[in-house]
């Protein structure tokens, strides 16, 4: 807008005085008007930052031509703003209408002042530059071009001409960045999601440019950052020379401190782009205690040490389709236009990753119809776009670069491909696999550490239920992992680099009864895999060909049918240690050929999900190596009683059994109480379980007894007093339990007791409870905590933790 500019100090004085009055009023009101505190705090913070600029405008107003119309209007608006701020004191908390009315007006006032100061300083800057250029020596044109290139390195590039789906993330990122308490902010997402593009858009935002001006410094950190080079480039960008020669990183940090102090108190935004694992300490080195100094970090890794994080999500279906149309030039008259459903199929396969969409769309741009159909056929056949799009593969493989001490993390990542796409992977299943494959600890702590590493690298998403103190290192049954289809495809691709027979991890996906050609071509297909995963759909007929898998240690069977026959070739897998059977169908599945398990001399762990079990041991041959059985959402009926031999003889060395969400379990089978080696029993979310047998007292080696969310369980048997090795007892959310066993004090090694949610347990505890000298932690709710108060006088080292209420529905299907 063309404005009439006039000279004179009067406008500058009026503007300065109006600003000062508004500034003082806001500071006085901000702590008193609770209802408007957030917007007033923002206004106060903005006025604080603008005060030096306003003072400069006021002092130089005689030399500057201020825009008369805009200045007068802003002075009037600041007078109105002062009255508006004072009105905030008189509005009561219950009057929401006034809040809705006044808040936008206060926000508009803030933005108007910022725009005015930005415009004025730009005019001032422009005129100063013009004056300076008159006196510039012509020799400056001979400045070394290397310096120019170094300066460009620290300048934020403009975003691409076309972006989609980033407007809302940009607003959310900006809001988080501008919060007063945020100095260091991490923007994280997998490679190719648009992190750098989002930062470029952020730096184009009017509010960000108005606040930080020329003090937006951009650094591409890369995999091997050099602090000395980074600081030198920043100095060159701001036309500053180091005060001494930079010899080491400490020298560089000192020079950076001087640079930032020189730019301060004006706001500064330092962007550290593409920080890799192993360099997470770098942003901390660049932190200094300066006002209005902020650091924005982008990385594929969600570094836990950084407090404030913004996760950039993939594109939704609409935005993904928009990007695909443009990338494939579907609006071009010369392009083949696929059926809408075909285009949607391709886009869905790209998972919302902008890079993937661009590469796939670009590879199809102006291609013949035959090429389109070929790609669609490959997609349907389970082949990967990675096999032909080397650019994409090379990009995604960067996420799989691990140091020598973390090579196992890459193996764990590839193991995730053993489970079907779009399905939650139980952390407990991975714990079983990795305990045997990589000799990790039995309790699963290291496995969870590995999953957390994958999680922060954006290679998988680990979803952990909220845990009480007693569960942090011992209970993972409610935790699971999800993985995007693209990343799963990458894991499968990485596992398929060798020939079929030589792969250490063989993943087979069968559609209908169409077995892979390599499998049907040979009667005895020899494989050397340690991990064998076979996934079938609801149309699979259970007609297997033979596989010689003498080296298979982990067998994962995924299916969807009501009836499923275990493959006969499994009985010759002499080295098999872990068997995982997952039914992803809607109904429970009946398993045939269960007797094959009797032929597996080294089988240590069995995990069954959503299957109906007639008998866990249909053979006279005991499973002497079996250590752990996990049953999830199974119909177990009389599975333990129907064994052809005694349970204790069938599983003589069983040390752990987990039964979760098995709704037909009413009583703990007595036969289990004869397995004297049992150390852990976990029966959770079995709502029909109403009693434990007295024989449970025979389990003299039992260390963990977990009975959480067994809502019909009314009491614990008195024989529990014999479990002298028991260290963890969990009866949380057992709603029907009304009292603790009379002789509970004889549990001489009990260390942790979780009794949160035992709402009917209101009576005083038995006298023997003061004999629990080893008891260190009790988790309960507030009402039960009061019952423990007098006990704490006797058990002086006891900590009583009041648990938060939690309703966990993570187990439900998506």
């Amino acid at each position: 807008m063309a404005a009439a500019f006039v000279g004179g100090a009067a406008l500058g004085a009026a503007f300065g005085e109006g600003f000062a009055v508004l500034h003082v009023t806001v500071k006085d009101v901000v702590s008193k008007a609770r209802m408007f505190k957030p917007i007033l705090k923002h206004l106060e913070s903005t006025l604080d930052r603008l005060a030096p600029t306003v003072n400069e405008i006021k002092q130089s107003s005689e030399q500057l031509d201020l825009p008369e119309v805009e200045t007068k209007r802003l002075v009037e608006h600041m007078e109105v703003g002062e009255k508006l701020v004072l009105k905030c004191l008189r509005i009561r908390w219950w009057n929401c209408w006034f809040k809705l009315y006044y808040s936008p007006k206060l926000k508009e006032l803030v933005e108007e002042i910022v725009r005015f100061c930005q415009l004025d300083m730009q005019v001032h800057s422009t005129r100063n530059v013009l004056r300076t250029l008159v006196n510039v020596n012509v020799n400056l044109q001979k400045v070394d071009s290397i310096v120019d290139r170094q300066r460009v390195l620290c300048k934020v590039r403009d975003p691409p001409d076309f972006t989609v789906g980033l407007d809302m993330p940009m607003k959310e990122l900006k809001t988080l960045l501008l919060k007063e308490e945020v100095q260091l902010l991490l923007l994280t997402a997998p490679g190719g999601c648009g992190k750098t593009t989002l930062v470029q858009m952020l730096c184009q935002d009017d509010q960000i440019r108005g606040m930080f001006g020329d003090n937006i410094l951009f650094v591409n950190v890369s995999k091997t950052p050099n602090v000395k080079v980074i600081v030198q480039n920043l100095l060159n960008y701001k036309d500053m020379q180091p005060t001494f020669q930079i010899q080491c990183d400490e020298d560089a940090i000192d020079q950076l401190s001087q640079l930032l102090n020189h730019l301060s108190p004006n706001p500064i935004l330092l962007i550290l782009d593409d920080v890799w694992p192993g360099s997470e300490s770098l942003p901390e080195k660049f932190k200094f205690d300066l006002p209005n100094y902020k650091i924005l970090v982008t990385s594929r890794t969600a570094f836990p040490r950084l407090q404030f994080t913004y996760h950039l999500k993939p594109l939704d279906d609409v935005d993904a389709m928009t990007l695909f149309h443009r990338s494939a030039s579907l609006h071009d008259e010369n392009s083949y236009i696929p059926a809408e459903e075909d285009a949607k199929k391709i886009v869905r396969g790209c998972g919302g990753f902008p890079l993937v969409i661009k590469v796939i769309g670009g590879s199809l741009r102006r291609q013949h119809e035959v090429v389109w159909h070929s790609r669609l056929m490959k997609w349907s056949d389970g082949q990967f776009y990675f096999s032909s799009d080397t650019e994409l593969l090379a990009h995604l493989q960067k996420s799989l670069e691990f140091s020598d001490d973390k090579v196992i993390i890459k193996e764990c990542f590839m193991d995730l491909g053993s489970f079907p796409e779009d399905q939650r992977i139980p952390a407990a299943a991975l714990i079983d696999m990795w305990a045997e494959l990589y000799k990790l600890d039995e309790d699963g702590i290291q496995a969870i550490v590995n999953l957390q590493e994958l999680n922060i690298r954006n290679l998988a998403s680990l979803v952990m239920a909220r845990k009480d103190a007693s569960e942090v290192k011992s209970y993972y049954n409610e935790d699971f992992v999800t993985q995007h289809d693209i990343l799963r495809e990458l894991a499968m691709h990485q596992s398929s680099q060798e020939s079929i027979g030589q792969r250490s991890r063989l993943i087979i996906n069968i559609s209908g009864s169409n077995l892979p050609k390599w499998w049907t071509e040979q009667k005895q297909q020899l494989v050397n895999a340690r991990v064998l995963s076979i996934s079938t759909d609801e149309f699979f007929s259970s007609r297997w060909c033979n596989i010689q898998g003498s080296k298979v240690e982990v067998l994962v069977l995924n299916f969807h049918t009501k009836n499923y026959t275990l493959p006969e070739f499994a009985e010759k897998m002499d080295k098999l240690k872990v068997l995982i059977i997952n039914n992803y169908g809607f109904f429970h599945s009946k398993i045939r050929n269960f007797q094959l398990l009797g032929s597996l001399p080294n089988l240590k762990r069995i995990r069954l999900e959503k299957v109906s079990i007639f008998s866990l041991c249909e053979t006279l041959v005991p499973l002497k190596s079996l250590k752990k059985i996990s049953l999830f959402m199974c119909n177990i009926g009389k599975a333990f009683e129907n064994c052809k031999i005694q349970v204790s003889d069938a599983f003589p060395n069983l040390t752990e059994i987990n039964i979760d969400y098995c709704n037909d379990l009413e009583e703990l089978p007595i036969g289990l109480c004869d397995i004297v080696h049992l150390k852990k029993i976990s029966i959770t979310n079995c709502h029909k379980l109403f009693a434990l047998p007295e024989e449970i007292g025979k389990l003299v080696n039992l260390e963990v007894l977990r009975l959480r969310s067994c809502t019909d369980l009314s009491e614990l048997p008195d024989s529990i007093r014999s479990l002298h090795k028991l260290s963890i007892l969990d009866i949380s959310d057992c709603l029907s339990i009304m009292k603790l066993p009379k002789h509970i004090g004889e549990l001489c090694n009990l260390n942790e007791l979780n009794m949160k949610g035992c709402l009917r347990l209101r009576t005083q505890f038995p006298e023997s409870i003061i004999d629990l000298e080893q008891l260190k932690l009790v988790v309960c709710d507030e009402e039960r905590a009061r019952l423990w108060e007098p006990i704490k006088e006797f058990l002086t080292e006891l900590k009583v933790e009041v648990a938060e209420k939690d309703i966990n529905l993570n187990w439900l299907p998506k």
Side-chain angles (χ1 to χ4, degrees):
M1 166 179 159
F5 288 86
V6 296
L11 283 176
F15 170 69
E17 182 179 353
F19 180 92
V21 171
L22 176 63
H23 198 182
V24 171
T25 304
V26 170
K27 284 186 173 295
D28 183 57
V29 172
V30 67
S31 61
K32 303 173 184 177
R34 296 182 180 179
M35 190 176 185
F36 294 86
K37 191 170 183 178
I39 184 66
L40 289 175
K41 285 286 290 183
H42 176 59
L43 178 57
E44 180 189 29
S45 175
T46 303
L47 295 178
D48 286 344
R49 290 195 299 270
L50 290 176
T53 303
V54 172
N55 189 49
E56 182 178 348
I57 293 173
K58 181 180 177 181
Q59 291 177 355
S60 58
S61 58
E62 291 184 359
Q63 288 81 36
L64 287 175
D65 292 331
L66 295 177
E68 182 179 9
V69 176
E70 284 83 351
T71 305
K72 287 182 176 179
R73 185 173 64 221
L74 180 58
V75 171
E76 293 173 358
H77 284 188
M78 286 192 292
E79 292 174 356
V80 173
E82 179 201 1
K83 296 176 182 178
L84 199 61
V85 171
L86 291 173
K87 281 185 179 181
C88 292
L89 280 174
R90 300 194 293 271
I91 298 172
R92 301 304 177 194
W93 63 268
W94 44 263
N95 201 329
C96 296
W97 184 89
F98 278 96
K99 182 176 181 180
L100 293 172
Y101 178 78
Y102 284 127
S103 293
K105 290 186 173 296
L106 289 170
K107 185 177 179 181
E108 289 173 7
L109 178 61
V110 173
E111 294 173 350
E112 185 175 6
I113 296 173
V114 170
R115 282 196 302 269
F116 179 86
C117 292
Q118 179 185 0
L119 172 64
D120 185 76
M121 292 311 294
Q122 284 176 345
V123 172
H124 187 191
S125 175
T126 300
R127 296 192 176 198
N128 284 341
V129 169
L130 289 174
R131 293 191 191 103
T132 303
L133 287 176
V134 173
N135 301 314
V136 169
N137 191 299
V138 69
N139 290 330
L140 289 180
Q141 297 175 5
K142 300 179 182 180
V143 173
D144 196 329
S145 61
I146 296 178
V147 174
D148 291 334
R149 287 197 294 271
Q150 289 175 329
R151 293 185 63 187
V152 170
L153 290 175
C154 298
K155 179 179 176 60
V156 184
R157 294 183 179 181
D158 293 333
D161 294 334
F162 181 80
T163 59
V164 63
L166 292 178
D167 290 338
M168 184 55 67
M170 196 274 287
K171 292 178 181 178
E172 293 172 346
L173 182 66
K174 179 175 71 172
T175 300
L176 185 56
L177 178 68
L178 295 183
K179 286 186 176 181
E180 187 174 352
E181 66 270 22
V182 177
Q183 184 189 12
L184 180 57
L185 175 60
L186 172 65
L187 166 60
T188 183
C193 266
K195 298 183 294 296
T196 303
T197 300
L198 180 59
V199 169
Q200 292 167 346
M201 290 179 61
L202 177 75
C203 294
Q204 291 286 324
D205 178 76
D206 289 341
Q207 186 178 358
I208 295 296
R209 293 175 66 181
M211 180 175 296
F212 297 100
D214 292 332
N215 287 345
I216 300 178
L217 312 175
F218 183 91
V219 175
N220 192 315
V221 176
S222 75
K223 187 176 181 180
T224 54
N226 187 317
V227 175
K228 292 180 289 185
V229 172
I230 290 173
V231 172
Q232 186 63 63
N233 287 339
L234 289 170
L235 290 169
N236 290 338
Y237 179 66
K238 299 307 291 184
D239 286 329
M240 290 185 62
Q241 294 296 322
T243 55
F244 54 85
Q245 189 174 3
I246 299 176
Q247 300 284 355
C248 59
D249 287 355
E250 287 74 21
D251 291 344
I253 297 301
D254 287 343
Q255 289 294 314
L256 178 62
S257 176
Q258 293 184 32
L259 169 63
L260 296 177
N261 276 285
H262 174 75
L263 300 178
S264 187
N266 294 325
I268 304 167
L269 175 59
L270 174 63
I271 300 166
L272 302 177
D273 190 46
D274 197 23
V275 176
W276 282 65
S279 301
E280 54 264 38
S281 62
L282 183 65
E284 301 285 348
K285 293 180 180 179
F286 284 23
K287 285 180 66 175
F288 298 93
D289 188 17
L290 295 171
N292 304 316
Y293 169 51
K294 294 181 179 289
I295 302 174
L296 177 59
V297 178
T298 75
S299 178
R300 298 187 184 101
T301 302
F303 302 123
R305 67 192 295 171
L306 301 187
Q307 181 180 1
F308 298 100
T309 301
Y310 181 84
H311 292 270
L312 178 60
K313 298 177 181 178
L315 299 178
D316 62 30
D317 291 345
V318 175
D319 290 329
M321 183 62 75
T322 300
L323 182 59
F324 179 73
H325 273 250
R326 183 179 179 90
S327 301
S329 297
L330 296 187
H331 301 294
D332 192 327
E333 295 180 357
N334 298 322
S335 294
Y336 166 71
I337 307 299
E340 188 69 11
E341 192 56 40
D342 288 342
K344 287 182 178 179
K345 184 176 181 180
I346 293 175
V347 170
R348 281 195 298 269
C350 295
F353 284 65
L355 176 69
V356 180
I357 296 170
K358 289 178 181 178
V359 173
I360 300 302
S363 68
L364 291 170
R365 184 185 296 123
R366 297 187 179 90
Q367 292 288 349
H368 193 273
E369 179 179 354
V370 174
V371 176
W372 279 82
H373 286 297
S374 173
R375 293 293 179 90
L376 287 168
M377 288 290 290
K378 288 182 179 180
W379 191 270
S380 301
D381 260 349
Q383 297 187 35
F384 321 116
Y385 281 119
F386 300 134
S387 59
S388 57
D389 296 298
T390 54
E391 176 187 353
L392 175 60
L393 178 58
H395 183 90
L396 292 177
Q397 281 180 324
K398 293 178 181 179
S399 299
L400 299 181
E401 296 180 5
F402 296 90
S403 57
D404 292 340
D405 61 331
K406 291 189 175 182
V407 172
I408 190 175
I409 305 296
K410 181 177 180 179
E411 297 296 320
C412 292
F413 167 73
M414 291 191 287
D415 286 334
L416 299 183
S418 303
F419 298 86
E421 62 180 332
D422 299 326
Q423 297 292 344
R424 291 171 172 174
I425 306 172
L430 297 171
I431 289 172
D432 286 341
M433 291 177 62
W434 297 343
E436 300 301 334
L437 286 173
Y438 312 122
K439 308 304 178 186
L440 302 187
D441 59 283
E442 295 281 334
D443 290 332
I445 297 174
Q446 187 57 50
I448 294 298
V449 170
N450 290 351
L451 287 174
Q452 289 172 337
E453 179 74 17
L454 291 174
N455 185 69
I456 65 176
R457 287 175 179 259
N458 291 305
L459 293 173
S461 297
L462 174 61
V463 181
M464 302 188 73
R466 186 184 58 79
K467 298 182 185 299
D468 302 310
S470 63
E471 304 166 337
V472 172
K473 295 183 179 180
S474 61
Y475 184 68
Y476 306 110
N477 285 7
E478 294 178 355
D479 304 336
F480 60 87
V481 178
T482 60
Q483 189 178 39
H484 196 279
D485 294 350
I486 295 298
L487 295 173
R488 179 179 178 272
E489 297 268 356
L490 178 60
M492 295 171 65
H493 177 83
Q494 289 294 114
S495 299
S496 62
Q497 296 301 296
E498 299 173 298
S499 64
I500 296 294
Q502 298 304 314
R503 295 175 189 175
S504 62
R505 187 181 294 97
L506 181 57
I507 301 172
I508 305 172
N509 295 300
I510 301 175
S511 177
S513 295
N514 301 315
L515 301 181
K517 289 183 179 179
W518 60 262
W519 196 353
T520 58
E521 286 173 352
Q522 298 187 33
K523 292 183 179 180
Q524 298 288 335
Q525 178 64 52
L526 179 64
V527 298
N528 289 312
R530 295 181 68 198
V531 178
L532 175 60
S533 169
I534 305 176
S535 298
T536 56
D537 60 18
E538 60 269 28
F539 303 109
F540 181 61
S541 63
S542 290
R543 294 178 181 175
W544 300 99
C545 290
N546 197 22
I547 282 183
Q548 290 185 1
S550 58
K551 295 183 180 181
V552 174
E553 297 178 42
V554 175
L555 176 61
V556 182
L557 300 173
N558 307 304
F559 59 94
H560 294 76
T561 52
K562 289 184 180 181
N563 295 286
Y564 187 80
T565 302
L566 296 183
E568 293 187 3
F569 56 75
E571 67 178 335
K572 296 181 181 180
M573 294 180 176
D574 294 340
K575 291 187 178 181
L576 188 66
K577 298 177 181 178
V578 181
L579 174 63
I580 299 174
I581 299 178
N582 299 315
N583 170 25
Y584 293 102
F586 186 78
F587 300 100
H588 285 80
S589 177
K590 293 181 180 179
I591 304 295
R592 300 191 185 98
N593 274 1
F594 218 75
Q595 72 277 4
L596 296 179
L597 303 187
S599 304
L600 303 172
N602 291 299
L603 186 61
K604 295 182 179 181
R605 297 164 185 262
I606 298 175
R607 177 182 171 84
L608 308 177
E609 180 171 334
K610 203 186 293 186
V611 301
S612 295
I613 309 165
F614 174 75
S615 173
L616 273 171
C617 188
E618 298 182 4
T619 175
L620 296 175
V621 180
L623 296 175
K624 293 183 178 181
S625 297
L626 192 65
K627 292 183 177 181
K628 180 179 178 181
I629 296 176
S630 300
L631 308 174
F632 180 73
M633 297 184 74
C634 292
N635 288 335
I636 59 178
K638 303 292 183 179
F640 291 95
E641 285 85 344
N642 290 335
C643 290
K644 292 186 177 182
I645 55 177
Q646 293 293 324
V647 175
S648 56
D649 294 330
F651 314 121
N653 296 305
L654 191 69
T655 60
E656 180 176 354
I657 182 166
N658 296 297
I659 304 175
D660 196 18
Y661 286 105
C662 294
N663 291 329
D664 65 340
L665 179 67
E666 297 182 356
E667 295 182 84
L668 184 69
I670 295 177
L672 286 177
C673 300
D674 293 323
I675 307 177
V676 294
H677 294 292
L678 268 176
K679 293 183 178 181
K680 297 180 182 180
I681 294 180
S682 177
I683 304 175
T684 55
N685 303 293
C686 295
H687 302 296
K688 292 184 179 181
L689 178 73
F690 66 86
L692 299 179
E694 283 290 334
E695 287 80 359
I696 198 171
K698 295 191 292 184
L699 297 174
V700 294
N701 291 303
L702 198 65
E703 298 173 2
V704 177
L705 178 59
R706 203 178 299 280
L707 302 165
R708 64 188 302 158
S709 297
C710 294
T711 53
D712 279 356
L713 184 65
S714 57
E715 63 179 1
L716 300 177
D718 289 335
S719 63
I720 199 175
R721 65 197 290 184
S722 302
L723 305 181
H724 295 158
K725 291 186 178 180
L726 192 69
S727 62
I728 297 176
L729 175 60
D730 184 352
I731 56 172
S732 58
D733 297 314
C734 289
L735 305 178
S736 300
I737 290 182
M738 301 178 67
K739 62 179 181 178
L740 295 178
K742 181 179 180 179
H743 301 287
I744 193 172
E746 295 184 24
L747 298 176
C748 55
N749 277 298
L750 189 64
N751 185 264
E752 299 175 4
L753 172 61
N754 192 328
M755 53 187 297
K756 68 174 183 180
C758 295
L759 303 181
R760 293 191 181 182
L761 209 165
R762 298 190 179 95
T763 60
Q764 294 297 319
F765 298 142
E767 292 182 7
S768 69
I769 206 162
I770 63 174
D771 296 329
L772 296 173
E773 296 179 357
Q774 299 301 315
L775 188 62
K776 298 297 186 292
L777 176 65
V778 171
V779 179
C780 59
D781 50 46
E782 289 185 9
E783 185 176 351
R784 258 50 61 183
R786 287 192 290 270
L787 296 177
W788 282 99
E789 284 303 316
I791 312 298
K792 290 167 68 176
E793 296 181 12
F794 299 92
L795 306 178
T796 55
E797 296 184 17
L798 175 63
K799 176 184 177 183
V800 178
E801 177 184 290
V802 177
E804 297 179 15
K805 294 181 180 179
D806 181 40
I807 300 176
N808 178 27
L809 298 178
N810 282 337
W811 60 274
L812 291 171
K814 293 192 289 183

